Amino acid sequence: MSHSENHLSKDGGRAEQLQFLRFCAFMAVFLWHGKVWVPTWFPGGNAAAESVSFFFVLSGLGTGYSFFLRQTPYSLREHGRYIWRKLKKIYPLYVTMALFSFVFSGLPYWLVTRDFGPAAPHLVQFARTLLMVQSWFPGGDYFAFNGVGWFISSIMFLYLVTPWLKLLLAKIYENKHRYGILAAVFAAVFAVTTGYCYATGGWDQEFWQYVFPPARLGEYFMGMILGFFLCSQKDRTPDTGRRKGIFTCLEAAALFLWAVSLCLPFAAWQFRIVHWLVPNLFLAGVFVLGYGAVSALFRTRPLRILGDVSFESFLIHANILALYGITGVGAAGRLGNLFSLSFCLVLTLMLAFMIAKPSLKR
């Protein structure tokens, strides 16, 4: 999850219905990380993989959508400002959670006792985490120091290349055949992403398809293209009585497809990215317009504010679960499991609201 270009609506305001979808995706990741208390019938691994893919697609879609509204010429100075804005939003909480995870790593004991032999590799990994580059190194340690930090490492790479992707979209839009070119580029990116996953199917899929930053470039860029295109077409959809009904059906269908895809069969090489591309692109594309009744429901204040703290919740929850796990509480029956999940979720949300309070007031 990330602070994307917060999904603008047709009047320049935020498409707030997308915020609750963010929260739903966060909940899928939360349930996967707390799977010891979740019923075995729930397809938690599939839901978490689909949700992570949705985060990348949604971040790209919001970026492309807002770029169409506010196209600015490329410059190295503006490129640097863009990255700095992202760092200011993300890094304070990110590094705080990394430091919190430091306590559980064994490093404090080794450093205090001057046992630098076992401490050395962990110090290297901690430095990678602080520099937000851990997702570039295979070996399994990319989940150390807050298990969700790898996502921030990968999304920062996508933010780094975003100004160049925006420049490409701007150049395409200057061409009279812009929509045909956009469709061709979209199809090519889809094909390359699918081919990459198929070609790396025999490798360490967790790293090369899930964590490795360039592997997620396809989802992000397809989201950008989709958002850019939809924003260019938004005024061509007349506001008639039928529009709300049609888009309500489309929104319901998108949610249904997203849920059904969790249970459909797929090859192993499709698990990290490919199987989720169509449902995630369809879901994000339909809901960014916000024309249906489901979008209206998702824009209601109670649901919207949950989405407004989804980024903070995402970064916090792994540490809350780790801290609660120190108690040794495992599976403890239906009511016990419900208590454990509820306690960790409520504590996560309380902290998230406290951290996000200044930005929520703005």
Side-chain angles (χ1 to χ4, degrees), residues 61-136:
L61 182 135
T63 301
Y65 198 95
S66 63
F67 175 61
F68 184 86
L69 292 174
R70 295 190 301 269
Q71 295 187 39
T72 55
Y74 176 82
S75 69
L76 286 176
R77 189 173 189 177
E78 182 56 34
H79 195 146
R81 287 177 176 173
Y82 177 81
I83 300 302
W84 177 242
R85 289 195 297 269
K86 294 297 183 184
L87 283 172
K88 284 198 301 182
K89 288 181 179 180
I90 292 172
Y91 197 72
L93 182 57
Y94 168 84
V95 74
T96 300
M97 290 299 101
L99 290 169
F100 191 87
S101 301
F102 180 90
V103 176
F104 304 103
S105 68
L107 271 172
Y109 174 80
W110 291 322
L111 293 177
V112 168
T113 59
R114 301 182 183 180
D115 191 0
F116 299 117
H122 295 275
L123 283 172
V124 170
Q125 186 60 38
F126 188 59
R128 291 172 179 170
T129 300
L130 294 180
L131 294 172
M132 308 174 86
V133 296
Q134 68 269 41
S135 59
W136 291 90

Side-chain angles (χ1 to χ4, degrees), residues 251-272:
E251 289 170 355
L255 291 170
F256 179 76
L257 176 62
W258 200 94
V260 167
S261 65
L262 296 173
C263 305
L264 295 177
F266 52 83
W269 63 269
Q270 298 173 320
F271 170 60
R272 303 294 179 179

Side-chain angles (χ1 to χ4, degrees), residues 164-358:
W164 294 318
L165 298 178
K166 288 180 176 180
L167 180 61
L168 176 59
L169 289 179
K171 292 295 184 183
I172 291 174
Y173 197 72
E174 292 173 359
N175 192 289
K176 64 179 181 179
H177 304 296
R178 58 180 69 96
Y179 298 121
I181 297 174
L182 281 175
V185 172
F186 184 93
V189 174
F190 192 104
V192 169
T193 301
T194 302
Y196 171 83
C197 290
Y198 180 78
T200 57
W203 300 4
D204 177 5
Q205 292 183 27
E206 182 180 77
F207 177 74
W208 292 107
Q209 294 184 13
Y210 190 68
V211 175
F212 187 52
R216 314 311 300 236
L217 183 58
E219 296 155 286
Y220 183 78
F221 192 36
M222 279 186 280
M224 280 189 69
I225 296 172
L226 182 62
F228 190 85
F229 171 76
L230 288 175
C231 191
S232 72
Q233 299 297 304
K234 65 183 185 301
D235 293 328
R236 300 187 182 187
T237 306
D239 188 5
T240 64
R242 296 180 57 191
R243 186 179 74 173
K244 184 174 182 179
I246 292 172
F247 273 89
T248 298
C249 292
L250 287 173
E251 289 170 355
L255 291 170
F256 179 76
L257 176 62
W258 200 94
V260 167
S261 65
L262 296 173
C263 305
L264 295 177
F266 52 83
W269 63 269
Q270 298 173 320
F271 170 60
R272 303 294 179 179
I273 296 175
V274 174
H275 184 67
W276 319 116
L277 284 177
V278 172
N280 279 332
L281 288 164
F282 184 41
L283 183 70
V286 167
F287 273 92
V288 73
L289 296 173
Y291 292 148
V294 184
S295 285
L297 173 64
F298 287 177
R299 282 193 295 268
T300 58
R301 180 173 173 78
L303 300 186
R304 188 186 73 241
I305 61 175
L306 288 174
D308 287 342
V309 297
S310 55
F311 171 74
E312 291 80 5
S313 300
F314 179 76
L315 275 184
I316 292 170
H317 82 277
N319 279 326
I320 296 298
L321 290 170
L323 184 62
Y324 187 82
I326 292 177
T327 64
V329 176
R334 188 174 299 174
L335 288 178
N337 292 342
L338 181 61
F339 171 81
S340 295
L341 282 172
S342 300
F343 180 85
C344 292
L345 178 61
V346 169
L347 183 56
T348 295
L349 291 175
M350 288 175 63
L351 292 173
F353 275 108
M354 290 173 62
I355 294 167
K357 188 175 181 180

